[in-house]
Amino acid sequence: MGRALGQLWCYSEAGRVLRRAARLLTEFPKVQAVVWRDYGHLYLRAGRLGAAQPYYERALASDSGSARTWLALGACQAMQGKWQSAHSTLAQGLRRRTELSWENHYWMGWVLRAQERFAEAGPYLRRGSEMEAEDCRRIGVATSDDRGPACQ
């Protein structure tokens, strides 16, 4: 419910629901981590990057094995221009292969590019593109390459 309210821009209501859920789920750390991550997403959607970061960190404290949360924290840090932190955070996410691996590769590539580490960025960006295309073909969705030169 908190996730749905956040998508409707009902941030105060979503925050109340997520806080209550987190309090009720103390005995289930992996589920609680998802709630904290959703709370971070709520702040991210509201454009409050600095406020989002502690919730992603809280989620990792509850479940450090979540590649999704490592990705969310790394992306949040990158959006704030915290390149070194984003690099090490995204590296943690890359150690955990998930369906988001292609996105994690993209973010790592952009972070390295922002640091002017172009030779290192290229392979991450290429691999991210390849992995995204593989996923899209697997589930039957068109990629930007399939839509022709107008989209490139």
Side-chain angles (χ1 to χ4, degrees):
M1 185 155 140
R3 205 179 277 176
L5 287 166
Q7 290 172 344
L8 294 170
W9 299 305
C10 300
Y11 298 125
S12 298
E13 294 86 350
R16 280 194 294 276
V17 168
L18 291 170
R19 270 191 305 278
R20 181 170 170 85
R23 280 194 308 270
L24 294 172
L25 294 167
T26 55
E27 294 180 31
F28 306 97
K30 288 186 183 244
V31 179
Q32 187 182 46
V34 172
V35 173
W36 290 130
R37 186 178 64 227
D38 284 350
Y39 213 127
H41 291 342
L42 183 68
Y43 278 111
L44 196 71
R45 276 194 294 279
R48 297 181 56 198
L49 302 175
Q53 185 170 330
Y55 288 100
Y56 294 135
E57 291 166 349
R58 239 175 159 170
L60 287 170
S62 292
D63 179 15
S64 64
S66 170
R68 289 177 184 267
T69 307
W70 285 108
L71 170 60
L73 176 59
C76 181
Q77 291 167 331
M79 285 184 253
Q80 295 176 78
K82 298 177 179 178
W83 306 119
Q84 285 300 111
S85 297
H87 182 271
S88 61
T89 300
L90 291 167
Q92 288 288 332
L94 283 168
R95 290 187 187 104
R96 294 152 178 86
R97 177 137 173 90
T98 69
E99 69 279 2
L100 295 176
S101 291
W102 66 267
E103 192 173 357
N104 209 331
H105 277 79
Y106 273 136
W107 274 106
M108 181 63 91
W110 285 111
V111 165
L112 290 166
R113 189 172 182 267
Q115 294 175 309
E116 298 184 5
R117 295 165 61 182
F118 303 112
E120 293 172 72
Y124 282 103
L125 293 168
R126 262 190 306 285
R127 184 65 185 131
S129 180
E130 292 165 0
M131 292 171 81
E132 179 189 21
E134 291 166 14
D135 283 352
C136 288
R137 277 192 291 280
R138 184 175 43 79
I139 61 173
V141 181
T143 66
S144 57
D145 294 339
D146 297 333
R147 291 188 287 259
C151 295
Q152 295 175 2

PDB file of all heavy atoms in Angstrom, residues 1 5 15 22 27 33 38 43 52 60 78 89-90 96 99 105 110 113 118 130 136 142 145 149:
ATOM      1  N   MET A   1       0.826  -1.184   0.000  1.00  0.00           N
ATOM      2  CA  MET A   1       0.000   0.000   0.000  1.00  0.00           C
ATOM      3  C   MET A   1       0.873   1.251   0.000  1.00  0.00           C
ATOM      4  O   MET A   1       0.566   2.211  -0.678  1.00  0.00           O
ATOM      5  CB  MET A   1      -0.907  -0.002   1.219  1.00  0.00           C
ATOM      6  CG  MET A   1      -1.878   1.147   1.195  1.00  0.00           C
ATOM      7  SD  MET A   1      -3.309   0.726   2.158  1.00  0.00           S
ATOM      8  CE  MET A   1      -3.626   2.237   2.962  1.00  0.00           C
ATOM      9  N   LEU A   5       0.728   4.285  -2.758  1.00  0.00           N
ATOM     10  CA  LEU A   5       0.498   5.677  -2.362  1.00  0.00           C
ATOM     11  C   LEU A   5       1.632   6.582  -2.837  1.00  0.00           C
ATOM     12  O   LEU A   5       1.399   7.704  -3.284  1.00  0.00           O
ATOM     13  CB  LEU A   5       0.345   5.784  -0.841  1.00  0.00           C
ATOM     14  CG  LEU A   5      -0.967   5.253  -0.273  1.00  0.00           C
ATOM     15  CD1 LEU A   5      -0.860   5.096   1.242  1.00  0.00           C
ATOM     16  CD2 LEU A   5      -2.123   6.161  -0.650  1.00  0.00           C
ATOM     17  N   GLY A  15       4.485   7.413   3.629  1.00  0.00           N
ATOM     18  CA  GLY A  15       5.470   7.370   4.703  1.00  0.00           C
ATOM     19  C   GLY A  15       4.911   6.765   5.972  1.00  0.00           C
ATOM     20  O   GLY A  15       5.569   5.948   6.639  1.00  0.00           O
ATOM     21  N   ALA A  22       7.359  -1.169   8.776  1.00  0.00           N
ATOM     22  CA  ALA A  22       8.724  -1.464   9.248  1.00  0.00           C
ATOM     23  C   ALA A  22       8.716  -1.830  10.730  1.00  0.00           C
ATOM     24  O   ALA A  22       9.431  -2.738  11.155  1.00  0.00           O
ATOM     25  CB  ALA A  22       9.637  -0.267   8.986  1.00  0.00           C
ATOM     26  N   GLU A  27      10.744  -8.796  13.184  1.00  0.00           N
ATOM     27  CA  GLU A  27      11.154 -10.198  13.253  1.00  0.00           C
ATOM     28  C   GLU A  27      11.436 -10.808  11.881  1.00  0.00           C
ATOM     29  O   GLU A  27      11.823 -11.969  11.785  1.00  0.00           O
ATOM     30  CB  GLU A  27      10.076 -11.015  13.971  1.00  0.00           C
ATOM     31  CG  GLU A  27       9.930 -10.618  15.434  1.00  0.00           C
ATOM     32  CD  GLU A  27       8.868 -11.430  16.138  1.00  0.00           C
ATOM     33  OE1 GLU A  27       8.665 -12.609  15.761  1.00  0.00           O
ATOM     34  OE2 GLU A  27       8.245 -10.889  17.060  1.00  0.00           O
ATOM     35  N   ALA A  33      13.638  -5.086   5.139  1.00  0.00           N
ATOM     36  CA  ALA A  33      14.574  -4.423   4.225  1.00  0.00           C
ATOM     37  C   ALA A  33      13.860  -3.914   2.982  1.00  0.00           C
ATOM     38  O   ALA A  33      14.166  -2.822   2.486  1.00  0.00           O
ATOM     39  CB  ALA A  33      15.690  -5.387   3.840  1.00  0.00           C
ATOM     40  N   ASP A  38      11.735   0.610  -0.088  1.00  0.00           N
ATOM     41  CA  ASP A  38      10.587   1.343  -0.634  1.00  0.00           C
ATOM     42  C   ASP A  38      10.521   2.755  -0.065  1.00  0.00           C
ATOM     43  O   ASP A  38      10.158   3.704  -0.754  1.00  0.00           O
ATOM     44  CB  ASP A  38       9.275   0.608  -0.345  1.00  0.00           C
ATOM     45  CG  ASP A  38       9.068  -0.592  -1.252  1.00  0.00           C
ATOM     46  OD1 ASP A  38       9.836  -0.754  -2.228  1.00  0.00           O
ATOM     47  OD2 ASP A  38       8.143  -1.376  -0.980  1.00  0.00           O
ATOM     48  N   TYR A  43      11.423   8.779  -1.074  1.00  0.00           N
ATOM     49  CA  TYR A  43      12.182  10.037  -1.024  1.00  0.00           C
ATOM     50  C   TYR A  43      12.844  10.333  -2.366  1.00  0.00           C
ATOM     51  O   TYR A  43      12.919  11.491  -2.789  1.00  0.00           O
ATOM     52  CB  TYR A  43      13.234   9.992   0.089  1.00  0.00           C
ATOM     53  CG  TYR A  43      12.656  10.321   1.445  1.00  0.00           C
ATOM     54  CD1 TYR A  43      12.540   9.354   2.426  1.00  0.00           C
ATOM     55  CD2 TYR A  43      12.226  11.614   1.732  1.00  0.00           C
ATOM     56  CE1 TYR A  43      12.020   9.665   3.674  1.00  0.00           C
ATOM     57  CE2 TYR A  43      11.700  11.925   2.975  1.00  0.00           C
ATOM     58  CZ  TYR A  43      11.602  10.947   3.936  1.00  0.00           C
ATOM     59  OH  TYR A  43      11.075  11.266   5.157  1.00  0.00           O
ATOM     60  N   ALA A  52      16.820   9.973   0.984  1.00  0.00           N
ATOM     61  CA  ALA A  52      16.632   8.593   0.525  1.00  0.00           C
ATOM     62  C   ALA A  52      17.781   7.692   0.974  1.00  0.00           C
ATOM     63  O   ALA A  52      17.561   6.541   1.366  1.00  0.00           O
ATOM     64  CB  ALA A  52      16.510   8.553  -0.995  1.00  0.00           C
ATOM     65  N   LEU A  60      19.995  -2.187   3.807  1.00  0.00           N
ATOM     66  CA  LEU A  60      21.171  -3.058   3.725  1.00  0.00           C
ATOM     67  C   LEU A  60      21.576  -3.586   5.091  1.00  0.00           C
ATOM     68  O   LEU A  60      22.097  -4.703   5.196  1.00  0.00           O
ATOM     69  CB  LEU A  60      22.335  -2.320   3.071  1.00  0.00           C
ATOM     70  CG  LEU A  60      22.172  -2.118   1.567  1.00  0.00           C
ATOM     71  CD1 LEU A  60      23.234  -1.174   1.033  1.00  0.00           C
ATOM     72  CD2 LEU A  60      22.194  -3.445   0.832  1.00  0.00           C
ATOM     73  N   ALA A  78      25.212   8.127  -6.967  1.00  0.00           N
ATOM     74  CA  ALA A  78      25.643   8.671  -8.257  1.00  0.00           C
ATOM     75  C   ALA A  78      24.853   9.932  -8.604  1.00  0.00           C
ATOM     76  O   ALA A  78      25.424  10.915  -9.086  1.00  0.00           O
ATOM     77  CB  ALA A  78      25.476   7.616  -9.355  1.00  0.00           C
ATOM     78  N   THR A  89      29.727   1.009  -3.925  1.00  0.00           N
ATOM     79  CA  THR A  89      28.394   0.443  -3.660  1.00  0.00           C
ATOM     80  C   THR A  89      27.927  -0.405  -4.831  1.00  0.00           C
ATOM     81  O   THR A  89      27.424  -1.524  -4.640  1.00  0.00           O
ATOM     82  CB  THR A  89      27.384   1.578  -3.376  1.00  0.00           C
ATOM     83  OG1 THR A  89      27.827   2.315  -2.245  1.00  0.00           O
ATOM     84  CG2 THR A  89      25.995   1.033  -3.123  1.00  0.00           C
ATOM     85  N   LEU A  90      28.069   0.110  -6.045  1.00  0.00           N
ATOM     86  CA  LEU A  90      27.652  -0.649  -7.227  1.00  0.00           C
ATOM     87  C   LEU A  90      28.488  -1.915  -7.390  1.00  0.00           C
ATOM     88  O   LEU A  90      27.969  -2.943  -7.837  1.00  0.00           O
ATOM     89  CB  LEU A  90      27.734   0.225  -8.478  1.00  0.00           C
ATOM     90  CG  LEU A  90      26.699   1.350  -8.528  1.00  0.00           C
ATOM     91  CD1 LEU A  90      27.045   2.354  -9.617  1.00  0.00           C
ATOM     92  CD2 LEU A  90      25.292   0.799  -8.712  1.00  0.00           C
ATOM     93  N   ARG A  96      26.414  -9.673  -6.742  1.00  0.00           N
ATOM     94  CA  ARG A  96      25.178 -10.436  -6.539  1.00  0.00           C
ATOM     95  C   ARG A  96      24.387 -10.420  -7.848  1.00  0.00           C
ATOM     96  O   ARG A  96      23.733  -9.454  -8.158  1.00  0.00           O
ATOM     97  CB  ARG A  96      24.353  -9.789  -5.426  1.00  0.00           C
ATOM     98  CG  ARG A  96      25.029  -9.879  -4.094  1.00  0.00           C
ATOM     99  CD  ARG A  96      24.610  -8.738  -3.194  1.00  0.00           C
ATOM    100  NE  ARG A  96      25.230  -8.844  -1.893  1.00  0.00           N
ATOM    101  CZ  ARG A  96      26.434  -8.363  -1.608  1.00  0.00           C
ATOM    102  NH1 ARG A  96      27.126  -7.732  -2.516  1.00  0.00           N
ATOM    103  NH2 ARG A  96      26.929  -8.502  -0.408  1.00  0.00           N
ATOM    104  N   GLU A  99      18.281 -10.232 -11.795  1.00  0.00           N
ATOM    105  CA  GLU A  99      17.682  -9.742 -13.029  1.00  0.00           C
ATOM    106  C   GLU A  99      18.012  -8.268 -13.265  1.00  0.00           C
ATOM    107  O   GLU A  99      17.792  -7.744 -14.337  1.00  0.00           O
ATOM    108  CB  GLU A  99      16.161  -9.956 -13.018  1.00  0.00           C
ATOM    109  CG  GLU A  99      15.394  -9.094 -12.030  1.00  0.00           C
ATOM    110  CD  GLU A  99      15.394  -9.616 -10.594  1.00  0.00           C
ATOM    111  OE1 GLU A  99      16.026 -10.652 -10.314  1.00  0.00           O
ATOM    112  OE2 GLU A  99      14.769  -8.964  -9.759  1.00  0.00           O
ATOM    113  N   HIS A 105      25.225  -2.740 -14.305  1.00  0.00           N
ATOM    114  CA  HIS A 105      26.334  -2.511 -15.233  1.00  0.00           C
ATOM    115  C   HIS A 105      26.237  -1.112 -15.845  1.00  0.00           C
ATOM    116  O   HIS A 105      27.254  -0.417 -15.968  1.00  0.00           O
ATOM    117  CB  HIS A 105      26.351  -3.572 -16.344  1.00  0.00           C
ATOM    118  CG  HIS A 105      27.022  -4.834 -15.936  1.00  0.00           C
ATOM    119  ND1 HIS A 105      26.400  -5.784 -15.166  1.00  0.00           N
ATOM    120  CD2 HIS A 105      28.265  -5.301 -16.183  1.00  0.00           C
ATOM    121  CE1 HIS A 105      27.229  -6.791 -14.964  1.00  0.00           C
ATOM    122  NE2 HIS A 105      28.365  -6.524 -15.573  1.00  0.00           N
ATOM    123  N   TRP A 110      28.277   4.504 -16.111  1.00  0.00           N
ATOM    124  CA  TRP A 110      28.076   5.957 -16.043  1.00  0.00           C
ATOM    125  C   TRP A 110      28.889   6.582 -14.926  1.00  0.00           C
ATOM    126  O   TRP A 110      29.409   7.696 -15.057  1.00  0.00           O
ATOM    127  CB  TRP A 110      26.594   6.292 -15.893  1.00  0.00           C
ATOM    128  CG  TRP A 110      25.876   6.086 -17.195  1.00  0.00           C
ATOM    129  CD1 TRP A 110      24.955   5.120 -17.467  1.00  0.00           C
ATOM    130  CD2 TRP A 110      26.053   6.814 -18.409  1.00  0.00           C
ATOM    131  NE1 TRP A 110      24.550   5.201 -18.786  1.00  0.00           N
ATOM    132  CE2 TRP A 110      25.207   6.241 -19.379  1.00  0.00           C
ATOM    133  CE3 TRP A 110      26.866   7.888 -18.772  1.00  0.00           C
ATOM    134  CZ2 TRP A 110      25.145   6.712 -20.688  1.00  0.00           C
ATOM    135  CZ3 TRP A 110      26.788   8.352 -20.086  1.00  0.00           C
ATOM    136  CH2 TRP A 110      25.945   7.770 -21.014  1.00  0.00           C
ATOM    137  N   ARG A 113      32.380   6.728 -16.178  1.00  0.00           N
ATOM    138  CA  ARG A 113      32.438   7.780 -17.206  1.00  0.00           C
ATOM    139  C   ARG A 113      32.498   9.158 -16.549  1.00  0.00           C
ATOM    140  O   ARG A 113      33.256  10.025 -16.969  1.00  0.00           O
ATOM    141  CB  ARG A 113      31.212   7.663 -18.109  1.00  0.00           C
ATOM    142  CG  ARG A 113      31.250   8.544 -19.319  1.00  0.00           C
ATOM    143  CD  ARG A 113      30.075   8.187 -20.241  1.00  0.00           C
ATOM    144  NE  ARG A 113      30.115   8.996 -21.424  1.00  0.00           N
ATOM    145  CZ  ARG A 113      29.470  10.143 -21.566  1.00  0.00           C
ATOM    146  NH1 ARG A 113      28.722  10.609 -20.586  1.00  0.00           N
ATOM    147  NH2 ARG A 113      29.553  10.828 -22.693  1.00  0.00           N
ATOM    148  N   PHE A 118      37.202   6.398 -18.879  1.00  0.00           N
ATOM    149  CA  PHE A 118      36.498   5.951 -20.077  1.00  0.00           C
ATOM    150  C   PHE A 118      36.829   4.522 -20.486  1.00  0.00           C
ATOM    151  O   PHE A 118      35.937   3.775 -20.881  1.00  0.00           O
ATOM    152  CB  PHE A 118      36.767   6.925 -21.229  1.00  0.00           C
ATOM    153  CG  PHE A 118      36.374   8.333 -20.914  1.00  0.00           C
ATOM    154  CD1 PHE A 118      37.333   9.324 -20.769  1.00  0.00           C
ATOM    155  CD2 PHE A 118      35.041   8.667 -20.732  1.00  0.00           C
ATOM    156  CE1 PHE A 118      36.975  10.628 -20.464  1.00  0.00           C
ATOM    157  CE2 PHE A 118      34.665   9.966 -20.423  1.00  0.00           C
ATOM    158  CZ  PHE A 118      35.630  10.943 -20.289  1.00  0.00           C
ATOM    159  N   GLU A 130      24.175  -5.443 -23.678  1.00  0.00           N
ATOM    160  CA  GLU A 130      23.998  -6.837 -24.099  1.00  0.00           C
ATOM    161  C   GLU A 130      23.029  -7.580 -23.184  1.00  0.00           C
ATOM    162  O   GLU A 130      22.155  -8.313 -23.643  1.00  0.00           O
ATOM    163  CB  GLU A 130      25.348  -7.565 -24.102  1.00  0.00           C
ATOM    164  CG  GLU A 130      26.309  -7.091 -25.157  1.00  0.00           C
ATOM    165  CD  GLU A 130      27.742  -7.566 -24.903  1.00  0.00           C
ATOM    166  OE1 GLU A 130      27.988  -8.279 -23.880  1.00  0.00           O
ATOM    167  OE2 GLU A 130      28.625  -7.203 -25.699  1.00  0.00           O
ATOM    168  N   CYS A 136      15.338  -8.624 -22.717  1.00  0.00           N
ATOM    169  CA  CYS A 136      14.192  -8.205 -23.527  1.00  0.00           C
ATOM    170  C   CYS A 136      13.780  -9.305 -24.507  1.00  0.00           C
ATOM    171  O   CYS A 136      12.593  -9.576 -24.677  1.00  0.00           O
ATOM    172  CB  CYS A 136      14.516  -6.918 -24.278  1.00  0.00           C
ATOM    173  SG  CYS A 136      14.589  -5.472 -23.206  1.00  0.00           S
ATOM    174  N   ALA A 142      10.597  -5.383 -27.156  1.00  0.00           N
ATOM    175  CA  ALA A 142      11.526  -4.740 -28.077  1.00  0.00           C
ATOM    176  C   ALA A 142      12.580  -3.944 -27.315  1.00  0.00           C
ATOM    177  O   ALA A 142      12.288  -3.337 -26.286  1.00  0.00           O
ATOM    178  CB  ALA A 142      10.767  -3.813 -29.016  1.00  0.00           C
ATOM    179  N   ASP A 145      17.481  -1.073 -29.825  1.00  0.00           N
ATOM    180  CA  ASP A 145      18.098  -1.479 -31.080  1.00  0.00           C
ATOM    181  C   ASP A 145      17.065  -1.987 -32.073  1.00  0.00           C
ATOM    182  O   ASP A 145      17.213  -1.818 -33.277  1.00  0.00           O
ATOM    183  CB  ASP A 145      19.135  -2.587 -30.849  1.00  0.00           C
ATOM    184  CG  ASP A 145      20.320  -2.107 -30.052  1.00  0.00           C
ATOM    185  OD1 ASP A 145      20.555  -0.877 -30.018  1.00  0.00           O
ATOM    186  OD2 ASP A 145      21.015  -2.951 -29.446  1.00  0.00           O
ATOM    187  N   PRO A 149      16.890   3.400 -36.101  1.00  0.00           N
ATOM    188  CA  PRO A 149      17.766   4.549 -35.878  1.00  0.00           C
ATOM    189  C   PRO A 149      17.082   5.765 -35.266  1.00  0.00           C
ATOM    190  O   PRO A 149      17.737   6.575 -34.647  1.00  0.00           O
ATOM    191  CB  PRO A 149      18.308   4.863 -37.265  1.00  0.00           C
ATOM    192  CG  PRO A 149      17.594   4.014 -38.225  1.00  0.00           C
ATOM    193  CD  PRO A 149      16.803   2.997 -37.474  1.00  0.00           C
TER     194      PRO A 149
END
